[in-house]
């Protein structure tokens, strides 16, 4: 390769610590920022090769999402704005872990296996979050790209979903929108204003939303976007960036701790939401008159959005198949409500956005959400076309036309490339406005089954293998039988275990008719994992 000498020379400036092995996790590489210099350089190389192979722009986002400030990481974005395809995850791992002297050979091997034309031009879009390490690490990505002769565009500080959007806009020649941050704000906010413009009874209270920005990039970008909303949504923003990133705040903290983030001032009953550190996750919540905390997680969001879409489809008289895609973490009550009351198709996939996104592509319209608040809506090209035709049909009646137009604005307010806290927030706010619904009314659609999650430390979490979208453990022998026996003891109970893709632990989930049962069940299952899957340290203790 013409540029191999340059790669070789520059890679010496970003050497891999000998022996260091890092795995491509659920969403890319993520670890302490100090260990990532060589990873960033090499992911610059990989993105350049992927760009040459696909003849399209590829994205590289420097972020560690909801992890602590000291960590960092990298997420790679494929041509249509989706996450890097699984077959290239293996190349990423090989490239990341190649010792210094093997680096060129691994590069050549990828070129050969993928039949890449080395003379093809490459374009890589780079973005970064607000971590103190992100500036220099993103510079290293750019070095990687240029050493292989690729061109790059540095978008600087952007949310992860904004970079996904840029990649998709560029590769669809602007059909998805304009590939600028301003273009993103204009597209989303215009659609939001259109959606809410026929809600004359909307009160100031309904227009007001409290947002916890997790002291991250989402807060920064929300401030930038605010004026485009023309006071149709009035945001009180907390954790704007003066405090520590994700520290006792943000979507992950609120979801896991089931309590208000620190740093926000909020009245009882007020609608609030939290973003995570790179603004691709969102959860809603409020406290009631007894100061009890109520969380509206990804399952509740998926239910709200799918109900809204189903109603619009009925009004429009459009025969389009709508599905909700979830993971095993979806609360049993949510699944039951969607299947039995809403009568929508429900599909369960493995954890991780790439799996949900992939499954969602099979339907006309699908709402995919992880319980942790990561998700979006996908509209197939055929669905978009049918909606457009109806909206433009001069012979249709007013009800059908109105519904079709609302569906069009819903498409435009949605970032279909990946879960996006900002876009999800605007869609949820628009739905609540159109339905005249309070957050309390939204919360009563169904009642979550009590549940509990725990982590168990084992010597090697890979001894646990699962199937059926992680709902059954195939290995080690006897584990699933033990889980089944425990589950059978409780009412409305369910439990499953899976090795984490981001931490060196096994995750255990249990739900049941009462919190006490869920807690006992999670403990029994944790013990089974500990005993049968090589637990380390002390045996898990009962919760009460
Ligand atoms: C990553 C995933 C998230 C998933 C989580 C599971 C993306 C963009 N992010 O953060 O979707 O819920 O990992 O973590 O895919 P775990 O494997 O440690 O439970
Ligand atoms: Mg995130």
């Amino acid at each position: 390769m013409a540029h191999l000498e340059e790669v070789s020379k520059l890679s010496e400036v970003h050497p891999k610590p000998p022996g260091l092995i890092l795995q491509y996790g659920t969403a890319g590489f993520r670890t302490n920022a100090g260990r990532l210099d060589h990873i960033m350089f090499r992911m610059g190389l990989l993105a350049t090769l992927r760009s040459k192979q696909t003849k399209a722009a590829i994205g590289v986002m420097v972020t560690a999402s909801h992890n602590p400030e000291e960590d960092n990481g990298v997420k790679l974005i494929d041509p249509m704005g989706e996450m890097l395809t699984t077959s290239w995850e293996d190349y990423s791992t090989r490239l990341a872990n190649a010792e210094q002297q093997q680096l060129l050979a691994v590069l050549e091997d990828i070129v050969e296996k993928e039949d890449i034309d080395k003379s093809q031009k490459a374009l890589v879009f780079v973005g970064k979050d607000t971590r103190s390490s992100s500036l220099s690490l993103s510079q290293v990505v750019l070095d990687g790209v240029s050493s292989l002769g690729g061109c790059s565009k540095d978008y600087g500080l952007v949310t992860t979903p904004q970079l996904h959007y840029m990649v998709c806009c560029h590769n669809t020649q602007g059909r998805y929108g304009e590939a600028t941050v301003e273009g993103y704000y204009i597209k989303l906010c215009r659609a939001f204003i259109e959606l809410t413009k026929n809600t004359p009874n909307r009160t100031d209270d309904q227009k007001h939303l409290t947002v916890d920005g997790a002291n991250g990039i989402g807060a920064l970008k929300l401030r930038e976007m605010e004026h485009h909303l023309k006071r149709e949504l009035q945001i009180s923003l907390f954790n704007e960036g003066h405090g520590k990133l994700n520290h006792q705040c943000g979507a992950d903290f609120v979801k896991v701790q089931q309590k208000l983030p620190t740093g926000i001032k909020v009245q009882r009953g007020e609608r609030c939401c939290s973003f995570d550190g790179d603004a691709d996750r969102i959860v809603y919540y409020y406290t009631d008159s007894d100061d009890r905390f109520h969380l509206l997680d990804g399952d509740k969001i998926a239910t709200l959005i799918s109900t809204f879409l189903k109603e619009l489809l009925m009004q429009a008289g459009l025969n389009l198949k709508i599905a909700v895609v979830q993971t095993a973490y979806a609360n049993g009550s949510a699944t039951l409500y969607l299947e039995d009351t809403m009568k929508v198709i429900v599909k369960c996939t493995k954890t991780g956005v790439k799996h949900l996104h992939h499954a969602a592509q099979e339907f006309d319209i699908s709402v995919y959400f992880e319980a942790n608040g990561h998700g979006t809506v996908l509209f197939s090209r055929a669905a978009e076309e049918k909606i457009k035709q109806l909206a433009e049909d001069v012979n249709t009646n007013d009800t059908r036309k109105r519904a079709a137009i609302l569906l069009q604005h819903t498409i435009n307010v949605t970032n279909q490339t990946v879960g996006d806290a900002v876009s999800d927030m605007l869609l949820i706010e628009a739905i609540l406005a159109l339905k005249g619904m309070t957050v309390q009314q939204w919360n009563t659609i169904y009642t979550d089954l009590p549940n509990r999650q725990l982590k168990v430390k084992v010597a090697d979490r890979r001894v646990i293998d699962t199937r059926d979208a992680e709902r059954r453990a195939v290995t080690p022998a006897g584990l699933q039988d033990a889980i089944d026996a425990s589950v059978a003891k409780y009412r409305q109970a369910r439990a499953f275990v899976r090795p984490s893709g981001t931490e060196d632990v096994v995750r255990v989930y249990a739900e049941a008719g009462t919190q006490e049962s869920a807690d006992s069940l999670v403990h029994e299952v944790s013990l089974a994992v500990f005993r049968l899957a090589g637990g380390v340290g002390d045996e898990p203790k009962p919760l009460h």
Side-chain angles (χ1 to χ4, degrees):
M1 224 180 299
H3 300 279
L4 280 192
E5 230 169 73
E6 184 66 10
V7 171
S8 189
K9 212 169 73 199
L10 263 171
S11 77
E12 297 296 331
V13 185
H14 307 288
K16 179 177 110 58
L20 176 63
I21 303 288
L22 294 173
Q23 289 305 321
Y24 192 98
T26 316
F29 295 97
R30 208 180 283 182
T31 184
N32 185 280
R35 307 164 83 194
L36 283 166
D37 192 56
H38 67 293
I39 296 283
M40 294 296 168
F41 180 74
R42 292 165 182 216
M43 290 308 107
L45 300 177
L46 188 92
T48 309
L49 288 186
R50 181 73 178 147
S51 174
K52 284 177 190 276
Q53 188 228 13
T54 56
K55 303 184 175 54
I58 295 294
V60 180
M61 180 71 194
V62 177
T63 180
S65 186
H66 58 273
N67 284 37
E69 156 76 31
E70 313 77 77
D71 286 357
N72 217 323
V74 60
K75 293 179 174 179
L76 292 149
I77 305 167
D78 252 359
M80 294 313 289
E82 68 282 40
M83 293 171 74
L84 181 71
T85 187
T86 346
S87 59
W88 274 65
E89 289 183 358
D90 295 339
Y91 295 143
S92 310
T93 311
R94 281 181 55 204
L95 203 58
N97 294 320
E99 294 304 333
Q100 211 54 31
Q101 61 280 12
Q102 301 164 344
L103 182 63
L104 297 188
V106 173
L107 275 178
E108 285 286 16
D109 191 44
I110 300 172
V111 168
E112 198 186 309
K113 287 214 167 73
E114 292 295 325
D115 198 16
I116 295 168
D117 174 3
K118 294 175 194 167
S119 62
Q120 176 67 38
K121 285 202 166 82
L123 177 61
V124 177
F125 287 179
V126 180
K128 60 170 181 283
D129 71 11
T130 53
R131 279 159 218 274
S132 52
S133 59
S134 290
L135 176 60
S136 56
L137 289 174
S138 71
Q139 202 56 50
V140 181
V141 175
L142 295 166
D143 284 355
V145 176
S146 65
S147 78
L148 256 184
C151 294
S152 54
K153 185 171 164 93
D154 184 3
Y155 276 94
L157 289 166
V158 281
T159 68
T160 297
Q162 282 178 335
L163 194 67
H164 283 254
Y165 164 91
M166 301 306 165
V167 171
C168 182
C169 287
H170 179 87
N171 291 328
T172 55
Q173 289 74 43
R175 279 196 303 280
Y176 193 64
E178 192 196 304
T180 62
V181 175
E182 199 65 10
Y184 168 94
Y185 297 142
I186 291 171
K187 180 180 175 186
L188 267 57
C189 293
R190 194 175 282 162
F192 173 78
I193 286 168
E194 288 295 328
L195 277 170
T196 51
K197 92 175 167 200
N198 290 316
T199 53
N201 299 330
R202 205 167 157 231
T203 61
D204 280 350
D205 270 1
Q206 286 165 327
K207 285 187 185 175
H208 179 258
L209 175 67
T210 298
V211 181
D212 154 29
N215 289 315
I217 184 69
L220 221 80
K221 295 291 142 178
L222 217 46
R223 272 276 177 262
E224 246 174 54
M225 183 179 83
E226 221 172 1
H227 69 277
H228 290 280
L229 291 166
K230 306 203 168 91
R231 300 196 60 75
E232 283 306 311
L233 181 63
Q234 294 155 27
I235 295 170
S236 295
L237 182 58
F238 295 92
N239 297 324
E240 270 198 75
H242 307 299
K244 205 169 165 191
L245 177 71
N246 295 327
H247 182 65
Q248 301 203 322
C249 60
D252 196 61
F253 172 86
V254 171
K255 166 78 182 160
V256 175
Q257 302 291 326
Q258 306 252 340
K259 60 181 184 196
L260 291 176
T262 53
I264 76 166
K265 279 196 205 71
V266 61
Q267 306 285 326
R268 292 182 180 129
E270 253 181 33
R271 199 166 72 254
C272 313
C273 66
S274 283
F275 293 2
D276 75 334
D278 63 340
D280 63 357
R281 273 165 65 172
I282 184 168
V283 293
Y284 270 71
Y285 47 92
Y286 66 95
T287 54
D288 63 21
S289 50
D290 299 325
D291 277 335
R292 267 190 48 209
F293 177 84
H294 298 270
L295 178 74
L296 294 96
D297 63 2
D299 301 338
K300 280 256 157 81
I301 295 173
T303 308
L304 180 75
I305 298 175
S306 55
T307 309
F308 172 71
L309 289 171
K310 193 162 182 203
E311 285 166 3
L312 284 184
L313 286 177
M314 283 195 19
Q315 288 165 20
L318 281 171
N319 184 19
L320 293 170
K321 217 179 239 162
I322 174 162
V324 175
V325 182
Q326 317 179 308
T327 70
Y329 289 109
N331 194 277
S333 292
T335 312
L336 195 71
Y337 177 82
L338 288 165
E339 283 179 335
D340 288 7
T341 309
M342 284 274 305
K343 307 234 180 289
V344 296
I345 305 162
V346 178
K347 195 161 174 174
C348 185
T349 71
K350 290 202 302 200
T351 303
V353 172
K354 60 194 173 210
H355 301 297
L356 288 106
H357 193 93
H358 188 71
Q361 284 167 329
E362 284 171 34
F363 304 93
D364 294 325
I365 301 180
S366 32
V367 181
Y368 76 77
F369 264 90
E370 291 192 304
N372 64 22
H374 193 127
T376 186
V377 189
L378 298 192
F379 296 84
S380 71
R381 194 171 272 197
E384 285 197 10
E385 194 47 43
K386 275 193 186 172
I387 291 165
K388 181 165 179 273
Q389 272 173 16
L390 183 62
E392 289 168 2
D393 187 351
V394 284
N395 296 318
T396 192
N397 67 44
D398 284 356
T399 310
R400 293 189 67 194
K401 203 179 182 80
R402 175 183 177 272
I405 290 172
L406 285 176
L407 281 166
Q408 275 193 312
H409 296 318
T410 303
I411 293 170
N412 285 329
V413 85
T414 304
N415 185 349
Q416 295 189 53
T417 62
V418 77
D420 180 337
V422 173
S423 146
D424 290 338
M425 174 192 81
L426 293 178
L427 177 57
I428 293 162
E429 291 300 308
I431 295 174
L432 294 178
L434 281 160
K435 284 178 162 288
M437 197 184 232
T438 63
V439 67
Q440 289 78 10
Q441 288 165 332
W442 170 22
N443 194 34
T444 56
I445 294 182
Y446 63 82
T447 307
D448 277 324
L449 278 174
N451 58 85
R452 186 75 70 191
Q453 278 192 60
L454 286 183
K455 308 178 197 181
V456 179
K457 266 216 146 313
V458 297
D460 180 3
R461 68 195 199 279
R462 287 171 302 182
V463 301
I464 295 191
D465 195 13
T466 64
R467 67 174 167 83
D468 192 18
E470 300 174 328
R471 289 174 291 191
R472 310 227 14 117
V474 190
T475 59
L479 179 57
Q480 189 58 48
D481 291 340
I483 296 173
D484 289 342
S486 290
V487 166
K489 292 199 253 169
Y490 301 95
R491 226 170 28 83
Q492 293 178 284
R494 190 170 68 89
F496 69 93
V497 304
R498 55 176 283 277
S500 158
T502 64
E503 263 183 88
D504 190 14
V505 294
V506 175
R507 298 203 193 280
V508 181
Y509 176 92
E511 65 183 29
T514 65
Q515 189 64 54
E516 211 182 0
S517 309
D519 289 352
S520 305
L521 179 57
V522 87
H523 172 245
E524 286 181 32
V525 175
S526 303
L527 265 186
V529 169
F530 189 90
R531 289 174 185 164
L532 297 166
V536 293
D538 294 338
E539 273 205 346
K541 304 240 173 353
L543 275 74
H544 303 289

